[in-house]
Amino acid sequence: IDDSLENKDIESLSDVYSDISIKKIIHGDYNYNNLSTKWRDWGFNCFNRFDIFLLNCDRLIFFDLDFICCSSLDEILNLNCDFGAVKGTRKNLLDHPSDTYFEGGLMIISKKFLNIETRNKLIELSKTKEWTSDEPVLNTYFRNLTFIPKKFNVLTSEYNDYT
């Protein structure tokens, strides 16, 4: 949540959703001035993805909000890697024109990276230049990764190719 909710509202949410952790985002940690608006407007949500690296767990599987699961996730659940994502298919990458470009909609993150150091390094990197989003920052930081099969993160226009 962002800092506009009052503590009593947060407590009410926690009472209703007792099995979900609610974390308050501290806006001062982020540099929103380096979010380019040439391509689209970015709110605070873009870089708040870096806060997932603060979660205390052995492994995290991150899905974007628009993720739709149409079959078994066993392959992802059983994949052993430090950092995994689906290879990107975008053309004319402005921030990261590389063969190692990945899509941030699905990421497998091991305990090795689930710490405040990773989060802080991502935030510091985000302040070094004007970025199109958080995804190129993640791509710049995570150069060594395991690629997950494309079928696990396809665009709507690609859906029929993988069903």
Side-chain angles (χ1 to χ4, degrees):
I1 63 167
D2 73 9
D3 56 10
S4 64
L5 282 179
E6 295 182 25
N7 284 338
K8 66 179 174 78
D9 297 324
I10 296 169
E11 290 170 12
S12 295
L13 285 171
S14 295
D15 290 342
V16 174
Y17 301 103
S18 59
D19 56 344
I20 295 176
S21 297
I22 299 173
K23 183 186 180 314
K24 196 170 201 173
I25 300 298
I26 301 169
H27 294 285
D29 289 348
Y30 297 93
N31 181 8
Y32 303 114
N33 295 327
N34 278 2
L35 295 171
S36 175
T37 56
K38 292 177 188 172
W39 299 273
R40 63 175 150 167
D41 289 331
W42 296 98
F44 67 86
N45 291 329
C46 184
F47 284 122
N48 290 349
R49 189 181 322 196
F50 298 159
D51 277 7
I52 66 173
F53 294 92
L54 296 176
L55 296 172
N56 184 19
C57 54
D58 291 331
R59 186 169 89 137
L60 178 105
I61 300 175
F62 171 86
F63 298 103
D64 257 351
L65 186 60
D66 60 354
F67 186 85
I68 299 173
C69 179
C70 297
S71 64
S72 172
L73 294 176
D74 287 346
E75 190 173 349
I76 290 174
L77 295 172
N78 295 318
L79 187 61
N80 184 15
C81 63
D82 287 329
F83 186 89
V86 173
K87 190 167 190 166
T89 56
R90 294 188 178 153
K91 308 288 187 246
N92 300 321
L93 298 174
L94 300 170
D95 295 311
H96 193 79
S98 166
D99 288 340
T100 61
Y101 183 81
F102 62 86
E103 301 288 346
L106 167 61
M107 296 182 290
I108 298 173
I109 308 164
S110 75
K111 191 170 189 77
K112 175 180 177 178
F113 295 112
L114 295 172
N115 55 61
I116 195 165
E117 290 82 15
T118 301
R119 176 194 174 261
N120 289 345
K121 287 177 183 176
L122 289 166
I123 291 172
E124 287 306 309
L125 181 59
S126 76
K127 295 176 181 181
T128 61
K129 68 178 230 173
E130 185 178 79
W131 301 90
T132 56
S133 75
D134 61 319
E135 208 164 75
V137 176
L138 291 164
N139 271 269
T140 300
Y141 185 79
F142 292 103
R143 300 266 181 168
N144 297 314
L145 69 145
T146 300
F147 282 116
I148 300 169
K150 174 69 176 156
K151 68 181 179 180
F152 289 110
N153 192 7
V154 299
L155 301 172
T156 306
S157 60
E158 302 169 317
Y159 175 75
N160 287 334
D161 297 336
Y162 294 91
T163 57

